Amino acid sequence: MTVTLIWIAVALIAVGLYLSWTAGRLDRLHTRIDAARAALDAQLLRRASVAQELATSNVLDPAASIVLYEAAHAARQSEEDQREVAESELSQALRAVFADADQVEAVREAPGGESAAEELAQAVRRVPMARRFHNDAVRAARALRRHRKVRLFRLAGHAPFPMAFEMDDEPPAALADRPGS
């Protein structure tokens, strides 16, 4: 009888440790999502700021400046539920304005344009990477949260179900393919 109780106690402790480890893993994944989302937000803000700065620098033609400025402004001011759409529209505006390599060269030839073009090129390359890191963390957390033991024992607590950030983040070819960048 005593041996049976000891084995039951050992089994309960083992299950408790396993559940505790799983809850800790889930908590670390949620922390990773928060950090990745902060990095994504920083990269999106940087991209919008650089685009807005370039639009107001009088380097682009007036029509391109207006299109780029309005898209960048909308991306910076959008509410959370409209953010993916606004950021996608900024990506589309960047591709429209910089569809031609001659436009990038015109920016580079303007005073201060070389650094502005390089900064924009870096910003548009970093956004897809930051989004990929965020969505990978979300995918991992979702996979763990789908396990029956996580749902049964409510190991996720009150944390909201993680949502991926889906947007059009394809960079303009003329900026993404710059040599030496």
Side-chain angles (χ1 to χ4, degrees):
M1 181 71 170
T2 307
V3 175
T4 306
L5 289 177
I6 291 173
W7 280 111
I8 290 173
V10 168
L12 287 175
I13 290 172
V15 168
L17 287 173
Y18 178 71
L19 290 175
S20 175
W21 176 80
T22 303
R25 182 172 166 229
L26 189 57
D27 185 53
R28 287 187 300 276
L29 283 171
H30 283 142
T31 301
R32 188 172 130 205
I33 290 170
D34 291 342
R37 181 59 189 241
L40 175 61
D41 287 341
Q43 292 305 321
L44 291 172
L45 180 62
R46 180 173 183 250
R47 181 180 75 151
S49 297
V50 171
Q52 208 169 22
E53 184 179 316
L54 192 58
T56 59
S57 67
N58 294 326
V59 174
L60 303 172
D61 63 87
S65 292
I66 290 171
V67 167
L68 194 57
Y69 181 83
E70 287 181 353
H73 181 72
R76 290 183 72 179
Q77 300 298 320
S78 64
E79 296 292 327
E80 192 61 35
D81 59 338
Q82 293 297 315
R83 182 104 187 258
E84 293 171 349
V85 173
E87 294 293 347
S88 293
E89 289 173 355
L90 176 56
S91 294
Q92 293 165 2
L94 285 166
R95 282 197 307 273
V97 170
F98 295 107
D100 188 2
D102 294 336
Q103 182 70 26
V104 176
E105 288 305 315
V107 169
R108 290 179 69 206
E109 291 170 1
E114 180 65 37
S115 64
E118 181 59 32
E119 191 173 357
L120 184 60
Q122 287 177 0
V124 298
R125 277 194 309 268
R126 289 180 179 165
V127 166
M129 287 187 294
R131 189 175 75 84
R132 195 171 312 118
F133 289 140
H134 175 267
N135 288 350
D136 286 347
V138 167
R139 201 171 299 111
R142 282 179 167 185
L144 184 59
R145 286 183 69 155
R146 283 192 191 107
H147 287 147
R148 190 173 296 149
K149 66 181 176 275
V150 173
R151 290 190 318 247
L152 181 65
F153 292 103
R154 298 178 186 234
L155 299 181
H158 298 288
F161 195 74
M163 300 302 291
F165 195 86
E166 297 301 333
M167 64 171 271
D168 172 7
D169 60 4
E170 183 181 337
L175 283 174
D177 297 335
R178 291 207 36 223
S181 295

